[in-house]
Amino acid sequence: MPVSARLALKIMLVALAVSVGSQASAAGDAGRGKELAYTCLGCHGIENYKNVYPTYSVPELGGQHASYIVAALKEYRSGERSHATMHEQAQSLSDQDIEDIAAYFAGTELKAGTSLNGTPPQKVQQLCVACHGINGIGVTSDYPDLAGQQADYIARALREYKQGDRKNAVMPTFVAGLKDDEIDEIAKYYSQQRPPLEVVHRRVSIFESK
């Protein structure tokens, strides 16, 4: 892709992010969110926990942007993201509950590292860096950090965007032409970046709240 085209694409996506961010900003109470997140930690608080079917790693949420978590939970609640368990859980949450849970998981948001782990694949450079950065750090808080996320989860999410199981104004355009091996390559690269997202361990969170 020519440099001028890449620059135009970056400008368009950043402008879109600012627009979306005004609707999905997070301003929650992390202390209350810690209590509400007890149920969430049944899956997201266990190292290497797998979704039953289809089988893939449950995403790590520790350090993720709060505003992205807010948007994701609302999408599960509305059905824009297809996942029966998450839809059921999110339906029980008010907007304020979602804000509070997001604030708890976000903690201190990730900072970009000083060096890359591995060489960015061509498709990462062409399609991903304008939103998710070369290090897997979202260029705004509305784009998820991918650094250190489970590779099979990233790959699953990309395939869901491609298949239409996740509704999004931007992502389908970028994933439509990706082959399976290219999806896996993108996922592997971002999973290896540091500093990583983390699991908020259930056993720690429960006892700290007592």
Side-chain angles (χ1 to χ4, degrees):
M1 182 184 294
V3 174
S4 59
R6 289 202 301 269
L7 179 59
L9 178 61
K10 290 182 181 181
I11 292 171
M12 178 191 73
L13 290 172
V14 170
L16 177 62
V18 172
S19 174
V20 173
S22 66
Q23 303 173 31
S25 60
D29 180 341
R32 181 171 181 268
K34 182 177 181 180
E35 300 298 324
L36 292 171
Y38 176 83
T39 302
C40 308
L41 294 173
C43 294
H44 294 281
I46 301 174
E47 200 84 38
N48 299 317
Y49 191 77
K50 302 282 187 180
N51 188 67
V52 177
Y53 182 81
T55 302
Y56 58 88
S57 298
V58 170
E60 298 179 344
L61 299 180
Q64 187 58 268
H65 293 302
S67 55
Y68 171 74
I69 297 175
V70 168
L73 284 172
K74 289 182 178 180
E75 287 167 6
Y76 281 121
R77 188 174 65 183
S78 69
E80 292 176 90
R81 292 195 184 193
S82 178
H83 191 287
T85 301
M86 285 300 302
H87 176 64
E88 182 179 352
Q89 293 293 328
Q91 274 195 317
S92 69
L93 301 174
S94 68
D95 285 353
Q96 188 60 56
D97 293 340
I98 288 174
E99 297 275 1
D100 294 345
I101 289 170
Y104 166 63
F105 277 115
T108 302
E109 294 182 347
L110 299 179
K111 305 299 180 184
T114 57
S115 61
L116 297 179
N117 189 356
T119 302
Q122 184 180 22
K123 289 299 182 181
V124 166
Q125 298 182 58
Q126 289 178 342
L127 303 176
C128 306
V129 297
C131 300
H132 301 288
I134 202 72
N135 287 61
I137 307 299
V139 298
T140 77
S141 61
D142 301 292
Y143 292 128
D145 289 335
L146 301 181
Q149 184 60 273
Q150 300 282 5
D152 59 340
Y153 171 74
I154 297 175
R156 177 69 190 180
L158 289 173
R159 291 187 171 99
E160 287 180 353
Y161 283 122
K162 184 176 180 178
Q163 296 162 4
D165 293 330
R166 291 193 183 197
K167 307 296 187 292
N168 184 276
V170 175
M171 286 298 296
T173 302
F174 291 92
V175 300
L178 288 176
K179 300 175 183 177
D180 280 347
D181 61 335
E182 292 171 334
I183 287 176
D184 292 337
E185 187 178 39
I186 291 170
K188 180 180 178 181
Y189 169 76
Y190 275 127
S191 74
Q192 294 173 337
Q193 300 311 304
R194 297 293 182 268
L197 293 163
E198 299 177 338
V199 171
V200 178
H201 293 285
R202 182 175 184 177
R203 65 179 184 276
V204 173
S205 298
I206 291 173
F207 290 117
E208 282 185 349
S209 67
K210 300 298 183 182

